[in-house]
Amino acid sequence: MTSTSPGGTPVNATTRRTVLVTGSTSGIGEAIATAFARDGADVVVNGRDPQRTDAAAKRIREAGGDGEIRAIAADVGTADGVRLLTDAAPDVDVLVNNAGIFDATPAFEITDEDWIRYFEINVLSGIRLTRHYAPRMVQHGWGRVVFISSESGVSIPKDMIHYGATKTTQLAVARGFAQEVAGTGVTVNSVLPGPTLTPGVGTFIANHFGDGIPFDEAERRFIAEERPTSLLGRLIRPEEVASLVRYLGSDGASATTGAALRVDGGVVNSIIP
Ligand code: NAP
């Protein structure tokens, strides 16, 4: 006989889950997709460019796991791109809204177009996808939605207020959706990574200190000079963010919903997010 756990999942059932990670051709998204794939989930890999998306899917497949790894190129910053993605993958059990862009622009120089573009890619993408997938998860009685926010959502960088504002908004959006699906077996949470060694951040730090200095020394100086509140004393690795998201996507995380969870190496000097 199969009984049901408090989290709504049949105990003893072997369930192969389908996980969609937006923006999984690189960095944190690729590490998250790899973690779920290694657990044996079917994973949908996404990015804007078909070649980059196929190449990432190949790397993720080769990293282990026996699930199906699909590559779906779609720009989640547009309604058409989201439709393309949801048509190709109509149902998922775990949605990780990871796709995001960031750059530094002085506060008074951020244009209307940039404000709108940032909200479309970093916020509306996750709203549109959650609106599609979460009601289906509710029908199935199980689901997980995770928004990848940032420490910048609670500690606004003055040269990235357009970015920080989108990351704050994600926290509110995730909390609101969690309330909407309360008591259904579906959870919605946000994760706030701190400075993480992704390819873009690695290049930024290498350029910041110029040539001739070993990367580990540049990393140490960057943290000491630019992120002195970090308790970790180094950049976070994408796999360290992925392990929290993997947990949130699991059966075991059934009582964690409507939460904002930090994986920031303690860089935000606060007890709560
Ligand atoms: P990344 O290495 O630049 O990767 C970004 C990913 O998003 C790529 O796979 C990119 O794919 C994809 N992407 C961008 N725009 C897209 C769009 N419109 N449609 C579909 N895919 C899109 O970034 P990351 O550093 O791993 O950051 C991932 C998330 O973590 C972001 O939400 C970011 O805000 C958050 N975060 C990062 C850090 C950090 O220190 N790195 C810290 C806190 C939070 P293609 O380029 O192949 O299209």
Side-chain angles (χ1 to χ4, degrees):
M1 198 181 90
T2 305
S3 62
T4 303
S5 75
T9 308
V11 175
N12 302 330
T14 316
T15 314
R16 173 170 292 203
R17 301 247 150 85
T18 301
V19 181
L20 164 60
V21 185
T22 65
S24 42
T25 64
S26 152
I28 291 172
E30 181 170 345
I32 295 169
T34 302
F36 281 109
R38 283 190 175 138
D39 284 345
D42 293 336
V43 175
V44 177
V45 178
N46 161 256
R48 289 162 294 190
D49 175 70
Q51 270 93 44
R52 275 172 62 78
T53 311
D54 284 346
K58 184 167 180 286
R59 288 193 298 276
I60 292 165
R61 221 171 273 127
E62 287 169 358
D66 57 1
E68 187 195 356
I69 312 299
R70 291 178 67 194
I72 305 178
D75 180 348
V76 296
T78 68
D80 285 349
V82 167
R83 204 169 304 116
L84 197 154
L85 183 52
T86 54
D87 283 352
D91 274 294
V92 302
D93 305 295
V94 180
L95 165 65
V96 183
N97 291 310
N98 166 79
I101 53 167
F102 42 95
D103 72 354
T105 310
F108 293 120
E109 291 173 24
I110 306 166
T111 61
D112 288 2
E113 289 72 25
D114 272 344
W115 275 105
I116 292 166
R117 190 166 63 92
Y118 266 74
F119 268 83
E120 286 193 331
I121 297 171
N122 290 3
V123 180
L124 256 183
S125 58
I127 292 174
R128 287 178 170 135
L129 289 164
T130 305
R131 222 162 41 198
H132 173 86
Y133 289 114
R136 291 161 175 261
M137 294 175 186
V138 169
Q139 276 175 8
H140 299 151
W142 197 95
R144 301 281 185 264
V145 180
V146 181
F147 284 79
I148 305 301
S149 173
S150 169
E151 47 139 341
S152 301
V154 290
S155 179
I156 306 292
K158 76 173 165 51
D159 57 351
M160 295 176 79
I161 61 172
H162 53 336
Y163 174 69
T166 63
K167 294 289 149 181
T168 309
T169 306
Q170 284 182 306
L171 304 177
V173 166
R175 174 70 201 184
F177 278 128
Q179 290 170 191
E180 182 60 30
V181 300
T184 63
V186 179
T187 68
V188 186
N189 293 288
S190 42
V191 164
L192 292 79
T196 304
L197 182 52
T198 53
V201 170
T203 306
F204 171 81
I205 290 174
N207 293 341
H208 186 73
F209 290 104
D211 291 339
I213 148 166
F215 185 78
D216 55 353
E217 172 63 9
E219 175 181 357
R220 198 194 55 70
R221 277 184 57 191
F222 176 79
I223 293 293
E225 293 168 21
E226 307 289 337
R227 295 290 188 282
T229 53
S230 170
L231 305 178
L232 194 61
R234 61 166 172 80
L235 292 165
I236 297 151
R237 287 344 189 219
E239 297 71 26
E240 295 177 302
V241 179
S243 56
L244 177 57
V245 179
R246 173 176 176 251
Y247 165 70
L248 287 173
S250 72
D251 290 319
S254 47
T256 301
T257 190
L261 301 166
R262 290 164 48 188
V263 52
D264 65 359
V267 76
V268 176
N269 188 2
S270 159
I271 297 166
I272 52 173

